[in-house]
Amino acid sequence: MSASTLRAAGMVTLVVAALLGSAYALGRSLVPDHPDRGAGVAASIHTPHYGDQPPSTEFPGPPGGGYGGPSPDASPSASDDARQPDDSEGPYGARTSTGSTRIALTFDDGPDPQWTPQVLALLKEYGVKATFCIVGENAESHPDLVRSIVADGHTICNHSWNHDISLGKRSPAAIRDDLLRTNDAIRAAAPDARIAYFRQPGGAWTYQVVSTCEDLGMTPLHWAVDPTDWQVPGAAKITQTVLAETRPGSIVLMHDAGGDRSGTVEALQRLLPELMHRFQLEALPTGTT
């Protein structure tokens, strides 16, 4: 091969390499960076930031998404497969509907001394009863707020001792101890409280946690509408999502603790009159005991 031919081949190789490098750089520039999930603004450095915790990716999650969604690599155990629901149910048969045309507003992670009183005041102003999913250590810290929730006629739901997203992966005995400790804290504040429901933090349901809460006489409570107010998207976005997605029978998920809930409170001011115009609102029933 002549020297001129070798030089020509070398030039072609350099040109091809340059073109490939340019194409790679262009492709990288067109791929957006992965943003950090919004953690929300803490109401106080002394307030537990349960709502700021990222959703679980290790548990089978609710049909259609919501936080606590499944990991692409998740591999449920045989016992998990046996309890997988159909599309009309929540994860592992957890409740997602009121069972009637009425809708239920639910508030997680409290009570919180800043946000819970504001939520209670708005609900009282409109004569609406709701369901509060209470964290045990918050009940222990703010028993007066637990008493206010019960006195106003709202339904109580157990939301674990300290919002442990991984609770469902623990042993049945550990899950049972956590739920009983939370119930004890609630009843220490309000002895007559009826605790008929349990909501797993992060929606990270497992067979073990569903089975244990049912053994303790509590119904596993999920949701149908999640405006992701825990990500602090602003009142307008929260309002838009709830109004767009709420249907007869919907259980709506919101938060009265765990971070800055000013957007939730502002959204509630807009939502309550509009929801009352469209639906009847109820606190989930607790039975007769």
Side-chain angles (χ1 to χ4, degrees), residues 101-127:
T101 58
R102 298 183 179 188
I103 69 166
L105 301 181
T106 65
F107 297 91
D108 282 16
D109 297 355
D112 177 274
Q114 180 172 3
W115 307 115
T116 303
Q118 296 182 55
V119 171
L120 287 173
L122 282 168
L123 294 173
K124 181 175 288 187
E125 177 182 347
Y126 286 94

Side-chain angles (χ1 to χ4, degrees), residues 264-276:
T264 301
V265 171
E266 183 181 345
L268 202 59
Q269 294 171 339
R270 308 176 190 181
L271 283 169
L272 284 171
E274 183 62 29
L275 289 174
M276 292 178 68

Side-chain angles (χ1 to χ4, degrees), residues 107-267:
F107 297 91
D108 282 16
D109 297 355
D112 177 274
Q114 180 172 3
W115 307 115
T116 303
Q118 296 182 55
V119 171
L120 287 173
L122 282 168
L123 294 173
K124 181 175 288 187
E125 177 182 347
Y126 286 94
V128 171
K129 306 301 182 186
T131 299
F132 285 81
C133 298
I134 290 178
V135 171
E137 63 179 6
N138 288 345
E140 185 176 70
S141 298
H142 308 292
D144 55 322
L145 293 177
V146 177
R147 285 190 287 272
S148 294
I149 292 169
V150 173
D152 284 356
H154 302 294
T155 291
I156 298 294
C157 170
N158 182 318
H159 199 37
S160 85
W161 177 255
N162 63 355
H163 202 273
D164 183 2
I165 289 179
S166 65
L167 180 64
K169 297 179 72 174
R170 304 188 188 283
S171 69
I175 297 170
R176 182 182 181 89
D177 287 346
D178 185 288
L179 271 54
L180 287 174
R181 184 183 184 190
T182 302
N183 282 351
D184 288 345
I186 294 170
R187 291 194 175 111
D192 295 330
R194 165 72 172 142
I195 309 167
Y197 301 92
F198 169 75
R199 175 172 280 167
Q200 167 62 31
W205 296 99
T206 64
Y207 170 78
Q208 290 92 332
V209 76
V210 167
S211 178
T212 302
C213 82
E214 289 179 339
D215 286 346
L216 293 174
M218 293 182 286
T219 297
L221 179 63
H222 201 66
W223 58 82
V225 179
D226 177 12
T228 62
D229 64 331
W230 57 278
Q231 290 184 312
V232 197
K237 181 63 174 177
I238 296 168
T239 302
Q240 177 187 5
T241 302
V242 171
L243 292 181
E245 297 185 7
T246 300
R247 301 288 185 270
S250 290
I251 294 174
V252 180
L253 170 68
M254 290 190 283
H255 296 77
D256 65 323
D260 181 357
R261 299 296 168 243
S262 57
T264 301
V265 171
E266 183 181 345

